[in-house]
Amino acid sequence: MTQDQLLIVGILVATMGMFIWGRWRHDMVAGAALLACVLTGLIEAQDAFTGFAHPAVVTVACVLVLSRALQVSGAVDILTRHVLPKKAGTTLSLAALTGLGAFLSGFMNNVGAMALLMPVAMQLSVRLGLTPGQVLMPLAFGTILGGMTTLIGTPPNLIVSGFRSESIGSGFGMFDFTAVGLSVAVFCVLFIAVPGWRLVPARKQPGTEGFDTGAYITEARVPEDSKLAGLHLREAEAALDEADAQIIGLIRNEVRVNAPSSGRRIRANDILVIEADVESLAGVISALGLQLEEAKASSADDDTPLQTESASDQEDKETDKDKEKESDSNGDGMILMELVVRTESPLQGRSARDILLRTRYGLNLLAVSREGSRSKARLRTLKLKPGDLLLMQGSEEALSEFAADNGCIPLAERELRIPDHSKALTATLIMLIAVACAAFSLLPTAVAFAAGVLASMALRTLPLRSVYDAIDWPVIILLGALMPVAAVMESTGTATLIADVLIQHVAQGSGPAALGLILIVTMLISSVVNNAATAAAMCPIALGTAASLGVNADALLMAVAIGASCAFLTPIGHQNNTLILGPGGFRFGDYWRLGLPVSLLVCAISIPLLLLVWPL
């Protein structure tokens, strides 16, 4: 071996060791590897950061942004509500949920797909009488499998395509991964849904009994175009039953009717007083086409008494109007947060109107949870008590200021996505157009998705403040830093040297054996190392192996893509596995019980298909 080969092998061994050790975050390790190559002269200083301009890196960032737009606009929530069966048995319900997760992760970031469907999985576990983990692990594996089906489904696919582009001048197409990836995903999802989920340890989430926010009481207005207008209350109640919510009052012309008759007809601009838990609140509002009253309150209602209005109240109203206009124009900064009223809080006995909540803080009180009792007062006039849980909307700074001033404890920031059908449709069309442009080579992949991001920003399908928050910057740093390092393996001949060792001593010169070996080695490494890092490290070896054997490099690159995506054996191999570790109550060794059979099934299906679809 030459000196340069020894240096790059030493750096890569140290890098892989640091990845496995896990003491440093993977982007730090990748950055250290890049700097080590620069300091040892393997990479010229002016070329050190060229990896960040690589199309694969740009595409990954853009896909993450477009995925967040689908999430925030409520497009996926609408799809979930219409696709998942409401009263099916365990097998069908798990198959539908896991299949939906696989489908979504084919066109959006699989971590985003997992995050979207986790609340659905938790609710489904209760309905099916299963522990959360018995639903969460099938969902996590399904979203990982779905990423193999398209170019944009997972970062390893984009990385593999990038290496192919540098090697032979063109990358893989949008659906080049589909023939093998879809077949593997379908068979594995069916295995998981029918017998596989029974292999998941039935562990309860630690501390699940310790925190329950209870049901919230909120007010929702019936807009002119709502499908509820003109219906009887019993018809609305039937729709609410599925979400474990109920109507406990109706407000018409500022007159509240408690426990209204089910035969009463609903009119436009009525306000329904609804009791629902916070997780199902968004679904209730969206399904019935309602508007949260306090979030959409008209200026005529703001912090003013119902009957008389003093000069100071009038001044408060004008201030409130200005405040709301400012809030509307800067709506990108609005978040939801739960706060609990402490015993010594000055809020005791005071209402949102009393403290001029909107005037002083620019906040909306969307709902209140009061265990064991129901109030007959409007939300804005409800006298607060210690222990009340408040679901509030506003800027992070305003919420923090309110909590500090009034002795409240912030419990959790909530994601209450009330789907906006127009924005959901726009976000979906933008994603479909970007995919079509890339699939039919109308535009380079990176350019197509960058144009999609620009369109999303211009049309506000995603709050502008969320654009950069949507990007997983550690992954971007990892990819940008490892691209030049991987190129050194190629330029120094190290990749070819390693490939020759594998071929001569393990594969014995057999192309199919080399393909299977690369798939298995990649899969094992991805169980302990970030899948993007695994793909970046294995692609040069796959290309070197193909050159040494004189076989089709595409088959070996596809083996790397599949192996890097299939990290089922540990909780650290893929972010989706890590996401469910706590909520599922899992231990480190629980994953292999379902992960090992799924991994073996992946190998059994993918190796013959790779040889068939991508002949050596």
Side-chain angles (χ1 to χ4, degrees), residues 6 100 104 307 372 467 587 600 608:
L6 287 172
L100 178 60
L104 292 176
Q307 298 184 13
V467 171
R587 302 169 186 169
L600 293 174

Side-chain angles (χ1 to χ4, degrees), residues 50-62 158 162 165-166 444-447 483:
T50 55
F52 293 97
H54 195 283
V57 178
V58 176
T59 304
V60 169
C62 292
L158 291 162
S165 178
E166 293 182 355
T445 301
V447 175
M483 284 294 182

Side-chain angles (χ1 to χ4, degrees), residues 169-294:
S170 63
F172 287 113
M174 177 64 64
F175 298 108
D176 284 347
F177 298 83
T178 306
V180 178
L182 182 60
S183 301
V184 172
V186 169
F187 279 102
C188 289
V189 165
L190 289 175
F191 170 78
I192 291 169
V194 181
W197 67 270
R198 294 176 173 84
L199 301 174
V200 180
R203 302 194 188 282
K204 291 186 177 181
Q205 177 188 0
T208 48
E209 296 83 9
F211 180 74
D212 181 10
T213 60
Y216 276 95
I217 307 295
T218 192
E219 297 174 359
R221 182 177 291 272
V222 180
E224 296 282 351
D225 59 349
S226 173
K227 59 186 178 183
L228 284 186
L231 299 182
H232 293 97
L233 273 175
R234 70 170 68 91
E235 296 171 281
E237 290 169 342
L240 289 173
D241 283 343
E242 296 181 358
D244 291 329
Q246 59 180 330
I247 297 173
I248 61 173
L250 182 144
I251 300 168
R252 180 177 294 167
N253 299 323
E254 298 299 341
V255 176
R256 173 165 174 160
V257 179
N258 294 305
S261 167
S262 60
R264 182 184 289 267
R265 194 175 295 275
I266 301 172
R267 299 177 186 173
N269 292 316
D270 281 353
I271 298 172
L272 303 180
V273 183
I274 298 174
E275 183 180 57
D277 66 76
V278 72
E279 298 297 344
S280 61
L281 186 57
V284 169
I285 300 300
S286 173
L288 300 182
L290 304 175
Q291 294 177 342
L292 284 173
E293 170 66 2
E294 292 304 309

